[in-house]
Tab-separated table of all heavy atoms in Angstrom:
chain	number	residue	atom	x	y	z
Y	1	MET	N	0.871	10.244	3.967
Y	1	MET	CA	1.226	11.603	4.274
Y	1	MET	C	2.066	12.144	3.126
Y	1	MET	O	3.098	11.588	2.838
Y	1	MET	CB	1.999	11.588	5.609
Y	1	MET	CG	2.523	12.894	6.010
Y	1	MET	SD	3.343	12.768	7.600
Y	1	MET	CE	4.713	13.815	7.301
Y	2	GLU	N	1.650	13.180	2.519
Y	2	GLU	CA	2.364	13.810	1.436
Y	2	GLU	C	3.221	14.940	2.108
Y	2	GLU	O	2.736	15.678	2.909
Y	2	GLU	CB	1.435	14.477	0.453
Y	2	GLU	CG	1.179	13.761	-0.831
Y	2	GLU	CD	2.351	12.975	-1.439
Y	2	GLU	OE1	3.329	13.585	-1.923
Y	2	GLU	OE2	2.263	11.784	-1.448
Y	3	ASN	N	4.461	15.039	1.696
Y	3	ASN	CA	5.284	16.078	2.227
Y	3	ASN	C	6.056	16.751	1.105
Y	3	ASN	O	6.478	16.142	0.227
Y	3	ASN	CB	6.271	15.479	3.218
Y	3	ASN	CG	6.930	16.543	4.089
Y	3	ASN	OD1	7.224	17.598	3.636
Y	3	ASN	ND2	7.160	16.214	5.316
Y	5	ILE	N	8.901	18.253	1.324
Y	5	ILE	CA	10.326	18.104	1.445
Y	5	ILE	C	10.711	16.685	0.918
Y	5	ILE	O	10.549	15.732	1.614
Y	5	ILE	CB	10.791	18.223	2.899
Y	5	ILE	CG1	10.372	19.608	3.432
Y	5	ILE	CG2	12.343	18.112	2.953
Y	5	ILE	CD1	10.600	19.755	4.891
Y	22	TYR	N	16.124	15.136	8.095
Y	22	TYR	CA	14.746	15.327	7.521
Y	22	TYR	C	13.752	15.584	8.672
Y	22	TYR	O	12.982	16.561	8.543
Y	22	TYR	CB	14.304	14.048	6.773
Y	22	TYR	CG	12.967	14.100	6.272
Y	22	TYR	CD1	12.675	14.706	5.007
Y	22	TYR	CD2	11.890	13.600	6.950
Y	22	TYR	CE1	11.387	14.812	4.530
Y	22	TYR	CE2	10.543	13.706	6.518
Y	22	TYR	CZ	10.343	14.264	5.228
Y	22	TYR	OH	9.027	14.329	4.779
Y	23	TYR	N	13.830	14.800	9.735
Y	23	TYR	CA	12.936	14.986	10.803
Y	23	TYR	C	13.086	16.398	11.484
Y	23	TYR	O	12.143	17.088	11.733
Y	23	TYR	CB	13.181	13.885	11.895
Y	23	TYR	CG	12.310	14.011	13.138
Y	23	TYR	CD1	11.037	13.539	13.140
Y	23	TYR	CD2	12.884	14.606	14.293
Y	23	TYR	CE1	10.259	13.661	14.286
Y	23	TYR	CE2	12.056	14.688	15.432
Y	23	TYR	CZ	10.764	14.214	15.397
Y	23	TYR	OH	10.007	14.358	16.537
Y	25	SER	N	14.135	19.033	10.085
Y	25	SER	CA	13.755	20.080	9.118
Y	25	SER	C	12.227	20.315	9.068
Y	25	SER	O	11.820	21.326	8.519
Y	25	SER	CB	14.293	19.755	7.707
Y	25	SER	OG	13.473	18.710	7.101
Y	26	LEU	N	11.466	19.415	9.650
Y	26	LEU	CA	10.025	19.594	9.671
Y	26	LEU	C	9.673	20.751	10.575
Y	26	LEU	O	10.332	20.967	11.592
Y	26	LEU	CB	9.287	18.355	10.143
Y	26	LEU	CG	9.442	17.150	9.239
Y	26	LEU	CD1	8.841	15.919	9.868
Y	26	LEU	CD2	8.810	17.378	7.847
Y	27	PRO	N	8.707	21.571	10.246
Y	27	PRO	CA	8.390	22.786	10.973
Y	27	PRO	C	7.947	22.640	12.403
Y	27	PRO	O	7.314	21.591	12.727
Y	27	PRO	CB	7.272	23.458	10.163
Y	27	PRO	CG	7.039	22.665	8.940
Y	27	PRO	CD	7.836	21.402	9.086
Y	28	ASP	N	8.217	23.539	13.232
Y	28	ASP	CA	7.741	23.633	14.619
Y	28	ASP	C	6.870	24.875	14.696
Y	28	ASP	O	7.049	25.806	13.935
Y	28	ASP	CB	8.960	23.818	15.623
Y	28	ASP	CG	9.708	22.566	15.868
Y	28	ASP	OD1	9.073	21.498	15.896
Y	28	ASP	OD2	10.904	22.609	15.979
Y	29	PRO	N	5.971	25.045	15.580
Y	29	PRO	CA	5.481	24.145	16.553
Y	29	PRO	C	4.232	23.332	16.076
Y	29	PRO	O	3.474	22.861	16.872
Y	29	PRO	CB	5.125	25.006	17.759
Y	29	PRO	CG	4.642	26.257	17.105
Y	29	PRO	CD	5.415	26.388	15.813
Y	30	THR	N	3.992	23.325	14.773
Y	30	THR	CA	2.863	22.537	14.299
Y	30	THR	C	3.129	21.067	14.542
Y	30	THR	O	4.147	20.685	15.131
Y	30	THR	CB	2.594	22.856	12.808
Y	30	THR	OG1	3.807	22.518	12.086
Y	30	THR	CG2	2.310	24.311	12.548
Y	31	TYR	N	2.311	20.211	14.000
Y	31	TYR	CA	2.425	18.797	14.252
Y	31	TYR	C	2.976	17.908	13.137
Y	31	TYR	O	2.779	16.699	13.187
Y	31	TYR	CB	1.062	18.283	14.672
Y	31	TYR	CG	0.625	18.908	15.966
Y	31	TYR	CD1	-0.277	19.994	15.924
Y	31	TYR	CD2	1.086	18.522	17.200
Y	31	TYR	CE1	-0.629	20.628	17.130
Y	31	TYR	CE2	0.715	19.190	18.390
Y	31	TYR	CZ	-0.139	20.179	18.308
Y	31	TYR	OH	-0.507	20.788	19.456
Y	32	PRO	N	3.721	18.450	12.176
Y	32	PRO	CA	4.211	17.558	11.095
Y	32	PRO	C	5.155	16.428	11.595
Y	32	PRO	O	5.149	15.359	11.083
Y	32	PRO	CB	4.964	18.421	10.080
Y	32	PRO	CG	4.512	19.822	10.466
Y	32	PRO	CD	3.981	19.806	11.854
Y	33	LYS	N	5.921	16.787	12.618
Y	33	LYS	CA	6.848	15.738	13.170
Y	33	LYS	C	6.057	14.589	13.732
Y	33	LYS	O	6.374	13.388	13.526
Y	33	LYS	CB	7.790	16.313	14.204
Y	33	LYS	CG	8.752	17.310	13.590
Y	33	LYS	CD	9.679	17.924	14.607
Y	33	LYS	CE	10.604	18.846	13.922
Y	33	LYS	NZ	11.552	19.455	14.885
Y	34	LYS	N	4.989	14.876	14.509
Y	34	LYS	CA	4.159	13.861	15.131
Y	34	LYS	C	3.422	13.072	14.034
Y	34	LYS	O	3.339	11.821	14.086
Y	34	LYS	CB	3.168	14.515	16.085
Y	34	LYS	CG	2.110	13.573	16.672
Y	34	LYS	CD	2.753	12.646	17.665
Y	34	LYS	CE	1.672	11.878	18.347
Y	34	LYS	NZ	2.099	10.561	18.767
Y	35	GLU	N	2.904	13.810	13.027
Y	35	GLU	CA	2.249	13.145	11.927
Y	35	GLU	C	3.169	12.216	11.187
Y	35	GLU	O	2.823	11.116	10.794
Y	35	GLU	CB	1.612	14.185	10.986
Y	35	GLU	CG	0.488	14.964	11.585
Y	35	GLU	CD	0.077	16.152	10.732
Y	35	GLU	OE1	0.527	16.299	9.587
Y	35	GLU	OE2	-0.751	16.940	11.215
Y	36	PHE	N	4.411	12.642	10.942
Y	36	PHE	CA	5.377	11.857	10.279
Y	36	PHE	C	5.721	10.569	11.036
Y	36	PHE	O	5.672	9.464	10.519
Y	36	PHE	CB	6.703	12.687	10.033
Y	36	PHE	CG	7.815	11.801	9.496
Y	36	PHE	CD1	7.811	11.379	8.177
Y	36	PHE	CD2	8.915	11.507	10.298
Y	36	PHE	CE1	8.842	10.564	7.701
Y	36	PHE	CE2	9.939	10.723	9.777
Y	36	PHE	CZ	9.883	10.289	8.515
Y	37	THR	N	5.989	10.698	12.308
Y	37	THR	CA	6.335	9.527	13.125
Y	37	THR	C	5.111	8.575	13.247
Y	37	THR	O	5.290	7.316	13.202
Y	37	THR	CB	6.916	9.859	14.540
Y	37	THR	OG1	5.904	10.716	15.205
Y	37	THR	CG2	8.200	10.581	14.420
Y	38	SER	N	3.926	9.124	13.389
Y	38	SER	CA	2.741	8.297	13.499
Y	38	SER	C	2.452	7.584	12.217
Y	38	SER	O	2.197	6.371	12.240
Y	38	SER	CB	1.499	9.207	13.837
Y	38	SER	OG	1.626	9.721	15.097
Y	39	GLU	N	2.576	8.242	11.078
Y	39	GLU	CA	2.363	7.605	9.821
Y	39	GLU	C	3.423	6.539	9.513
Y	39	GLU	O	3.075	5.440	8.982
Y	39	GLU	CB	2.299	8.659	8.727
Y	39	GLU	CG	2.128	8.077	7.341
Y	39	GLU	CD	0.756	7.435	7.079
Y	39	GLU	OE1	-0.157	7.560	7.921
Y	39	GLU	OE2	0.595	6.774	6.029
Y	73	MET	N	8.763	7.678	1.892
Y	73	MET	CA	8.099	8.786	2.560
Y	73	MET	C	8.892	10.072	2.642
Y	73	MET	O	8.377	11.122	2.579
Y	73	MET	CB	7.741	8.353	3.999
Y	73	MET	CG	6.525	7.406	4.130
Y	73	MET	SD	6.123	7.022	5.816
Y	73	MET	CE	5.574	8.648	6.438
Side-chain angles (χ1 to χ4, degrees):
M1 176 177 141
E2 259 326 290
N3 196 322
I5 304 172
Y22 177 85
Y23 178 81
S25 75
L26 295 173
D28 284 322
T30 61
Y31 297 98
K33 291 179 180 179
K34 174 70 172 152
E35 291 170 8
F36 172 72
T37 56
S38 295
E39 179 65 12
M73 286 182 65

